[in-house]
Amino acid sequence: MEELKKALKSHDTAPFLFLGSGFSRRYLATPAWDALLDDSASWMNKTIQQYKSKVSKYDPNDNLFLPHIATMMATDFVDLWWNDPQYTEQRKKYENIIIDYRSPLKVAVSEHLKSFRPVSTPEIQEELQALDELKESNAIDGIITTNWDCLAEEIFEYKRYIGQEELLFSNVLNVGEVFKIHGCLTSPNSLVLDEKDYADFNKRNPYLAAKLTTIFIEHPVFFIGYGLRDKNIREILDSLVFGIGEKNINKLGKGIYFIEYDRNNEGYLYSTTPVDLPNGSLDINYIRTDDYKTLYEILGTNPRKFPARLMRQMKEHLYELVLKGDPKEQLMVVTDLDGNEDPENIQFVYGAGVIEKISEFGYGAYSNETLYKDIIGIGDVSLDYKQVVCRTLIESSKHTVPRNKFIKLADMKLRDIPKRVLDHQITKHKEAISSRMSIKQITDKLNEINNLYDSLDAIKHAKITIEKKLEAAAYLEPHKIDAEELRLFIVDNYPDKSNTAIKRLIRYYDWLAYGRNDNKNNE
């Protein structure tokens, strides 16, 4: 994927991800649209085929064929939901939000989707770990999605905007945000589910496109989980093309990357492909791959210095200041470096040069990259370890960063270390491997690797790829590996190889070198 690496470097801004139903099916095993309707039909002891046989208004290939079926189902479901004892809990919880015939089915669908959990296979867990690393490296500016589930916001922890209306009438800042344009299961009435919902959505599509135009012009946008023929996406793209005009259509296309899963084993492909739309032909980047882990790692190769959530917060404060002259939160605009403002009351500082007074208080926002480098001894920044423990590691964006070294060298009493920092401390080998894999999966992999190799040197000389070596080293039992030998192995491969595997090894090294002696019973 070297072409993609080069293409990403040509963009001045971090990407947006545009996530479709294929993303949720891959990572949560949620049903496809027609399968979800079949599930819904089963609640009434029917099948989707029975409903399809009653449709005369639309052809099966029509974009409104399935939404029309949803309308029929919603109408049939109302009385069942109000009277059947199995929906008693739902009625207690949602009775006050029922607004029309669609609400009961939307409530039931939302509750149904809440039951799905991340897929536990090793391949998917590694991809989810790579997505976590994307968040930690601050490499994604925001998310647009038509999915109803909450996977995207659970991974990235960005501010959520639900539905077209909330997006259209909010002061969005295009950084650190998730735009759920088809609604969210946390707000059942927001779901774009039936024929009327889609009619309302399509009416507002030009306004939505206008709101999204800035994102598409200023950011690379990666479509994941959609088919090239997806009519909803083509309508959005067509509205964008119409809005920006023919002169800018090439610029728009260069920033769009369409990722399609290689389900037929045709092999990796990076090319440019035309998308024919009513308002013009749009040439976009097309990538066919079955290696999503590497894709996510490449997306993380150009990290932001500051987390997207922090950037959003800073932009919001500036917006409030410019618009109203009265920001809601603490803000200091520095015009007098010798002023008497108490640094404890300052949340953000906007200025130039070194502000000694603020430095005394401590900024503390070390990047993840800085922390990882320090752990393996190749950092170029002198860290105040006490400040790292008390200020940096308490940030939610730092919960996957190893911390045994910082805790040990901060030389603090246990009672003085923030609980939030201790909660994410690695205390055993298995915790360093993955927080998403099951104990059985980790144990099976540990047995496999340790039956094959009795030392790190054996792994180094094995006839396998360097990526496989990096992965295997993390599973080698502690008594088979020397901490300094592991550190040198990491340094030799940092940061050119698999980002996820390297960071896993750094977590292992951090525990092996700085945490193991305190937790020898937890190996």
Side-chain angles (χ1 to χ4, degrees), residues 445-461:
K445 190 69 174 181
L446 281 167
N447 291 336
E448 176 192 339
I449 296 300
N450 285 281
N451 286 334
L452 288 172
Y453 308 107
D454 58 5
S455 67
L456 180 59
D457 194 58
I459 292 176
K460 288 182 187 177
H461 291 91

Side-chain angles (χ1 to χ4, degrees), residues 346-464:
I346 300 170
Q347 193 173 43
F348 294 106
V349 178
Y350 296 89
V354 178
I355 305 173
E356 296 295 340
K357 191 169 184 180
I358 303 302
S359 297
E360 291 170 8
F361 177 62
Y363 176 50
Y366 298 116
S367 69
N368 289 2
E369 186 76 4
T370 297
L371 298 176
Y372 277 110
K373 283 185 175 181
D374 186 89
I375 292 169
I376 57 175
I378 60 172
D380 51 9
V381 178
S382 179
L383 304 186
D384 179 334
Y385 293 126
K386 187 172 182 179
Q387 181 169 278
V388 170
V389 171
C390 294
R391 296 194 179 280
T392 303
L393 293 178
I394 63 173
E395 298 175 13
S396 59
S397 63
K398 301 289 190 263
H399 72 268
T400 62
V401 174
R403 55 205 59 206
N404 282 297
K405 176 179 180 178
F406 305 129
I407 290 173
K408 189 165 188 172
L409 299 188
D411 196 25
M412 298 169 62
K413 292 180 179 179
L414 187 63
R415 66 173 180 268
D416 296 329
I417 300 173
K419 181 179 182 299
R420 192 170 181 177
V421 173
L422 293 174
D423 285 345
H424 297 288
Q425 183 181 14
I426 292 171
T427 60
K428 60 182 72 173
H429 180 201
K430 290 180 180 179
E431 291 175 359
I433 294 172
S434 175
S435 61
R436 290 187 177 274
M437 293 173 67
S438 69
I439 296 298
K440 183 181 185 304
Q441 288 172 332
I442 294 175
T443 301
D444 289 347
K445 190 69 174 181
L446 281 167
N447 291 336
E448 176 192 339
I449 296 300
N450 285 281
N451 286 334
L452 288 172
Y453 308 107
D454 58 5
S455 67
L456 180 59
D457 194 58
I459 292 176
K460 288 182 187 177
H461 291 91
K463 293 181 179 180
I464 55 177

Side-chain angles (χ1 to χ4, degrees), residues 473-505:
Y475 290 90
L476 202 61
E477 291 177 349
H479 68 274
K480 293 183 177 181
I481 194 166
D482 175 74
E484 179 60 14
E485 183 187 14
L486 177 59
R487 187 188 73 82
L488 293 174
F489 180 59
I490 295 169
V491 171
D492 287 344
N493 292 283
Y494 187 95
D496 300 324
K497 305 301 178 185
S498 170
N499 196 37
T500 301
I502 283 288
K503 289 185 176 179
R504 183 187 294 128
L505 280 182

Side-chain angles (χ1 to χ4, degrees), residues 159 161 170-177 308-331 347-348 350:
K159 180 175 175 61
Y161 289 93
S170 298
N171 297 317
V172 298
L173 301 171
N174 295 341
V175 63
E177 296 164 331
R309 283 167 293 163
L310 176 61
M311 292 296 295
R312 187 193 180 280
Q313 200 174 1
M314 293 167 70
K315 286 182 73 174
E316 185 175 33
H317 288 310
L318 280 178
Y319 177 86
E320 289 286 332
L321 179 66
V322 172
L323 184 66
K324 302 178 181 178
D326 182 24
K328 292 184 288 187
E329 304 291 342
Q330 299 157 300
L331 173 70
Q347 193 173 43
F348 294 106
Y350 296 89

